[in-house]
Amino acid sequence: MPKSGALDLATGVGGNIEKKAVLSAVDKYEKYHNPYGGHEEERKANCSDMVNKYYDLVTSFYEYGWGESFHFANRWKGESLRESIKRHEHFIALQLGLKPGQKVLDVGCGIGGPLREIARFSGTHVTGVNINEYQITRGTELNHIAGMDSCCNYVKADFMDMPFSENSFDAVFAIEATCHAPDLVHCYKEIYRVLKPGHCFAAYDWCITDSFDPRNEEHQRIKGEVELGNGIPAIRSREQCLEALNLAGFEVIWEKDLASDSSLPWYLPLDKTHFSPSNFRVTAVGRFFTRNMVKALEFAGLAPEGSQRVQAFLEKAADAHVEGGRKGIFTPMYFFLAHKPHS
């Protein structure tokens, strides 16, 4: 069953890290980032370790507050957050033109929420690749609960070096995952390698926008807090993504920041001034409850020492998302559809 209770949250913090080692893992993770004296090059050089620690530390919080699909979505008036997330996943399947029986790859699949939804929607077999053992274990459990063992599976691997033969997949997608790549050109080249010629790769990625000013200290602070709260080496620009796709050999069919025409702001679920009974846990009141619950669980020894620190940097990141969204300097849903030529 989905992990929705306080004890589920408490016992999941730390993932595969030994509970007594969670606090030191938090220390090491935080020190990779700018607010704690870290540097971009250090994050890139140690990206696998940083990202793996991040998802061990936060997955339980993500599932508790957000559900099985760890991503944002553009949203229409009258549409619930859950409905918008499913539509966002269906959209990427439609853009790829998925057909029953095809073999599809989800790059950076989390615990498999999008993977399962897209497999159901399209009738395809979807393989998720993920570097984090805890998320794979949890995703496998959720596949079994959903009765989807036959059409969804996972492979533990770094998506910078995937254990698949050339031309293995009919389609590849990534949902807010390749932002973790230390070298985007190499990442896209690896995706290009495993994709069949004549087929497509589609993704949502996190980008700074043209409104971002690198000389603006407030903009840099917001960017740094988003990177810290999301395990990202460095948020790139739309132009950097397009250049990397071209250098990898892809032909871009179309691209757009889908946040630009969303009826409701993408960051609305994280906005403390907005109250939503259906998404109570990420509202101001819900966050207050979670903060004190984690404090009590850690004090009682049910949650490992360091749990409050994780909850704190996730809260700070949530506020930075709202600030960045309001200022228009950051988007988590830059979409592109790219084609691998036959030759």
Side-chain angles (χ1 to χ4, degrees), residues 6-22:
L7 288 178
D8 290 324
L9 170 62
T11 56
V13 175
N16 276 11
I17 300 171
E18 288 187 32
K19 300 307 178 187
K20 62 183 179 182
V22 167

Side-chain angles (χ1 to χ4, degrees), residues 148-281:
M148 301 191 70
D149 296 315
S150 63
C151 59
C152 300
N153 72 297
Y154 303 92
V155 173
K156 184 178 184 297
D158 188 336
F159 59 53
M160 301 295 287
D161 184 20
M162 295 186 284
F164 307 119
S165 302
E166 291 183 9
N167 310 326
S168 293
F169 294 95
D170 297 296
V172 181
F173 67 87
I175 300 180
E176 301 181 24
T178 54
C179 53
H180 295 297
D183 181 337
L184 199 57
V185 175
H186 181 85
C187 174
Y188 288 166
K189 282 184 176 179
E190 186 66 356
I191 290 168
Y192 185 96
R193 182 184 68 79
V194 303
L195 179 64
K196 292 179 181 178
H199 291 247
C200 289
F201 165 44
Y204 299 112
D205 214 341
W206 292 30
C207 289
I208 52 173
T209 70
D210 293 341
S211 298
F212 179 82
D213 181 357
R215 298 163 298 182
N216 185 308
E217 289 185 5
E218 187 178 23
H219 288 192
Q220 287 287 7
R221 174 190 60 79
I222 293 168
K223 178 174 177 285
E225 289 177 358
V226 170
E227 289 164 349
L228 166 65
N230 294 277
I232 297 174
I235 304 174
R236 303 174 179 92
S237 67
R238 164 186 168 273
E239 289 75 19
Q240 286 173 305
C241 288
L242 289 173
E243 181 183 19
L245 285 166
N246 289 325
L247 289 172
F250 283 107
E251 296 173 348
V252 178
I253 297 172
W254 76 280
E255 47 85 28
K256 184 179 181 180
D257 175 10
L258 297 185
S260 63
D261 57 3
S262 180
S263 296
L264 297 174
W266 62 264
Y267 53 83
L268 190 65
L270 300 178
D271 187 348
K272 289 187 292 189
T273 65
H274 174 72
F275 182 79
S276 170
S278 64
N279 203 37
F280 173 75
R281 286 175 177 167

Side-chain angles (χ1 to χ4, degrees), residues 27-44:
D27 276 330
K28 186 172 181 182
Y29 173 75
E30 288 179 336
K31 286 174 182 175
Y32 281 127
H33 292 274
N34 293 7
Y36 294 87
H39 301 283
E40 180 180 326
E41 291 310 312
E42 183 185 10
R43 291 194 295 277
K44 288 180 177 179

Side-chain angles (χ1 to χ4, degrees), residues 86-127:
K86 284 193 173 187
R87 178 178 49 74
H88 206 59
E89 293 162 358
H90 295 172
F91 177 82
I92 208 167
L94 291 168
Q95 290 300 311
L96 286 167
L98 299 184
K99 297 178 177 61
Q102 286 186 321
K103 188 178 177 183
V104 181
L105 179 66
D106 179 356
V107 173
C109 62
I111 61 171
L115 177 156
R116 285 183 291 278
E117 186 62 35
I118 286 172
R120 287 189 198 100
F121 180 73
S122 63
T124 54
H125 184 284
V126 187
T127 296

Side-chain angles (χ1 to χ4, degrees), residues 298-312:
E298 185 173 328
F299 179 79
L302 296 172
E305 189 179 2
S307 297
Q308 292 179 77
R309 293 261 297 277
V310 177
Q311 199 270 337

